[in-house]
Amino acid sequence: MEKNKLNGMNQVDPNIRDEMLAELFLDQMLNNFKKSKIFEEIDQSLKNKDKETFFRLTEELKSVS
């Protein structure tokens, strides 16, 4: 079954395949960047002992993950 999926991907126009891979890559990089920023803000909220912000950010992190 896996071979069928791989064979199907090989039949996709190379330009479309490259575009799809680039989009997936950019989405992943953007997601990683958002997570990184949220982690920085979580660290800051811990330093400031700001529970409200901490809980809000951890919920936001769940939606990004």
Side-chain angles (χ1 to χ4, degrees), residues 3-65:
K3 287 185 179 182
N4 290 339
K5 288 181 184 179
L6 292 175
N7 287 337
M9 188 64 166
N10 288 335
Q11 294 173 357
V12 174
D13 182 322
N15 291 329
I16 294 172
R17 185 182 60 227
D18 291 347
E19 185 178 325
M20 290 168 58
L21 290 173
E23 189 173 337
L24 288 171
F25 175 77
L26 289 173
D27 285 345
Q28 187 63 47
M29 291 297 101
L30 182 58
N31 207 22
N32 289 347
F33 178 77
K34 286 179 184 178
K35 285 181 189 179
S36 174
K37 288 298 181 186
I38 293 171
F39 279 124
E40 287 176 15
E41 291 180 38
I42 286 173
D43 287 345
Q44 190 61 44
S45 71
L46 289 170
K47 287 178 187 174
N48 295 337
K49 299 179 182 179
D50 184 351
K51 286 183 182 180
E52 262 184 54
T53 303
F54 173 80
F55 287 124
R56 180 182 55 78
L57 290 168
T58 54
E59 286 302 314
E60 189 176 332
L61 183 61
K62 289 177 190 176
S63 70
V64 173
S65 299

